Amino acid sequence: MTASSKGPEPEGGSVSATGEASRAGAVTPPARPVRQLFAASVGNAVEWYDWYTYTFLATYIAAQIFPKSASNSLVPLLSTFAVFAVGFFMRPVGGLLMGAVADRRGRRAALTVTILLMGGSSLLVGLTPTYAAAGVLAPIVLVLARLLQGLSVGGEFAASTTFLVESAGPGRRGLFSSFQYVSTTIGQLVASGIAALLVANLAPATMDSWGWRVPFVLGAVLSLVGFWVRRGAHETRSEEQAKAPRPGLFEALRRHPRESLLICGITAGGTLAYYTWTSYLPTYAELNAGVTKSDALLAGTLSLTFFAVLQPLTGLASDRFGRKPLLLMFGLGFALLSVPLLRALDDSFVTLLLVQCAGMILLSGFTAISAAVNAEVFPARVRAAGIGFPYSLTVALFGGTAPYIGTLFKDLGQAGLFPVYVAVLCLVSSAVYFRLPETAHRPLER
């Protein structure tokens, strides 16, 4: 990174559609940044709607796709969360491959591929046969669909992170970065809302039979809408990058090992806290505090709405005050409060909602700016692939396994260890945040 000046410097943003660069060497952002923001956000929301629908309907999928155990009622749910985790382990592959496509062919090309892939895999989940009808073929089809979804989501984060930050104007990288999780949260919110609506209006037998399939089929249709929107976006890769020799598939790892490890450290605590608070907490509250399924889904929906509103406000704060203070607020906050917050849960809807919202405030210190922080680590030549692989690998190891580990602790009679696990990993990431250089006011490297 270039040395920081005494005051804020113009931020380089990204390449314009014509590839013009400023005299200072920073890249001029696209002339219509709001359009860029919309293209990235709409597609990203659809991607994550498809991904998160699986989590909110996990108990229904467990009952239909996996065989029941006479000795342990948690076995089907554990199997469902194991498939959830398996999908995460395709994300590093997607981050590497689609990141390479974004660095070689352009950010827009990668974004259109990922959304079509997600639409197809979502449809496959919706059409998965039941275990009663197809036997072992049912979980095999489900695993295949989740592997394809993992490939898509891994590539989506790599390409959309790069696209968003490169589209930002001066002093706005944090704000644009925040829309990564604004759109992610909107997708998750729609998934949660539709699941809650179906549970509230369909008879339990109907929901078990075919109602849980409806959101996945809808996701496939929405993917076509996202594809159409993204086709009209402006490419942020410069003409100089397009004409330069293509980077190798593993060039980012080979030439920037320190930066790759840095992204792992930045992400570890954040991804565990994120998936715990935004995805697994309703199920955790059902299993450990006796919260009803409908109350858990409603609390999740309301807290996600609050979370989405927080993102741009936190992103703007990072543009003014820097990235490190917010990252430390998140990391140390979760290290100190994860255990008391999760242990405070009881069978009350109000308590669950308050616990979720308190965590969301802290979590926004990571989510709103992680895209900007990651993009500021790598040069543009290998930015997408450089972000995609280490980020997605860390998410697979710590985020994707969060529901499974939490449920496993419950199955072993040690449910109280899960909050400790969250706190310790957030403390580890906090140590990384202490050593990070402040990059909020530095030009974005080309």
Side-chain angles (χ1 to χ4, degrees):
M1 297 282 183
T2 58
S4 176
S5 64
K6 295 180 181 179
E9 295 180 6
E11 287 190 27
S14 125
V15 180
S16 68
T18 60
E20 290 185 358
S22 69
R23 293 181 180 178
V27 185
T28 305
R32 301 177 66 183
V34 174
R35 180 179 178 179
Q36 297 289 95
L37 200 61
F38 181 72
S41 298
V42 169
N44 196 50
V46 172
E47 282 265 354
W48 289 96
Y49 163 84
D50 288 342
W51 179 256
Y52 280 118
T53 294
Y54 182 97
T55 305
F56 291 119
L57 297 172
T59 54
Y60 297 99
I61 295 172
Q64 295 296 313
I65 307 301
F66 293 98
K68 294 179 174 61
S69 171
S71 61
N72 191 338
S73 61
L74 285 177
V75 166
L77 185 59
L78 281 169
S79 300
T80 305
F81 282 140
V83 175
F84 181 76
V86 165
F88 273 83
F89 282 93
M90 281 300 289
R91 289 181 61 168
V93 179
L96 185 63
L97 295 180
M98 292 296 104
V101 170
D103 290 331
R104 295 179 179 188
R105 299 288 184 181
R107 317 320 189 195
R108 187 177 60 180
L111 289 173
T112 53
V113 171
T114 58
I115 199 166
L116 288 178
L117 186 59
M118 178 57 81
S121 54
S122 180
L123 182 62
L124 187 58
V125 174
L127 299 179
T128 299
T130 64
Y131 188 84
V136 71
L137 180 63
I140 289 175
V141 172
L142 183 65
V143 169
L144 176 62
R146 287 301 289 181
L147 290 175
L148 292 175
Q149 285 189 324
L151 187 71
S152 173
V153 167
E156 171 69 19
F157 186 88
S160 65
T161 292
T162 306
F163 181 85
L164 273 172
V165 177
E166 290 179 347
S167 296
R172 288 292 180 264
R173 288 204 303 265
L175 175 62
F176 271 58
S177 167
S178 72
F179 277 85
Q180 177 76 33
Y181 277 92
V182 169
S183 55
T184 296
T185 304
I186 289 173
Q188 189 173 1
L189 184 62
V190 173
S192 174
I194 289 177
L197 186 66
L198 289 171
V199 170
N201 290 278
L202 293 180
T206 303
M207 193 66 194
D208 287 334
S209 176
W210 57 264
W212 65 270
R213 300 179 184 273
V214 173
F216 294 103
V217 177
L218 176 61
V221 175
L222 292 175
S223 294
L224 296 177
V225 177
F227 171 75
W228 177 77
V229 171
R230 283 184 166 178
R231 289 192 64 188
H234 290 288
E235 177 57 57
T236 62
R237 188 179 62 148
S238 68
E239 291 182 359
E240 291 82 359
Q241 292 174 31
K243 294 175 182 179
R246 295 177 182 175
L249 185 62
F250 297 100
E251 183 173 326
L253 289 172
R254 189 177 65 253
R255 298 185 61 179
H256 303 278
R258 180 183 176 277
E259 288 82 355
S260 298
L261 289 173
L262 192 61
I263 285 184
C264 293
I266 292 168
T267 306
T271 188
L272 176 60
Y274 175 76
Y275 280 98
T276 297
W277 241 256
T278 66
S279 299
Y280 179 57
L281 197 55
T283 302
Y284 181 88
E286 288 180 52
L287 294 176
N288 296 283
V291 178
T292 64
K293 187 178 298 183
S294 58
D295 279 353
L297 285 172
L298 179 58
T301 301
L302 293 175
S303 63
L304 283 171
T305 304
F306 175 63
F307 187 56
V309 173
L310 288 174
Q311 301 308 300
L313 300 176
T314 311
L316 282 169
S318 80
D319 284 328
R320 182 170 183 178
F321 301 111
R323 320 290 190 220
K324 285 184 67 172
L326 294 170
L327 288 172
L328 289 170
M329 177 197 75
F330 152 72
L332 295 177
F334 262 92
L336 294 172
L337 297 176
S338 292
V339 173
L341 283 174
L342 291 179
R343 288 183 178 174
L345 290 172
D346 53 29
D347 60 358
S348 165
F349 166 79
V350 174
T351 301
L352 174 58
L353 182 61
L354 291 175
V355 167
Q356 285 200 279
C357 288
M360 298 301 193
I361 293 172
L362 297 174
L363 187 57
S364 65
F366 169 78
T367 55
I369 61 175
S370 63
V373 173
N374 290 340
E376 288 161 355
V377 168
F378 281 96
R381 173 178 167 79
V382 292
R383 181 168 291 137
I387 293 170
F389 182 76
Y391 174 87
S392 296
L393 180 62
T394 309
V395 171
L397 290 173
F398 299 107
T401 58
Y404 183 83
I405 290 176
T407 307
L408 183 61
F409 277 140
K410 171 66 175 178
D411 188 42
L412 296 174
Q414 301 292 332
L417 290 180
F418 184 68
V420 176
Y421 170 59
V422 175
V424 169
L425 200 59
C426 288
L427 185 61
V428 171
S429 283
S430 295
V432 177
Y433 304 151
F434 269 116
R435 297 182 60 85
L436 278 178
E438 182 56 71
T439 56
H441 303 132
R442 296 180 180 181
L444 192 66
E445 281 194 1
R446 294 194 61 197

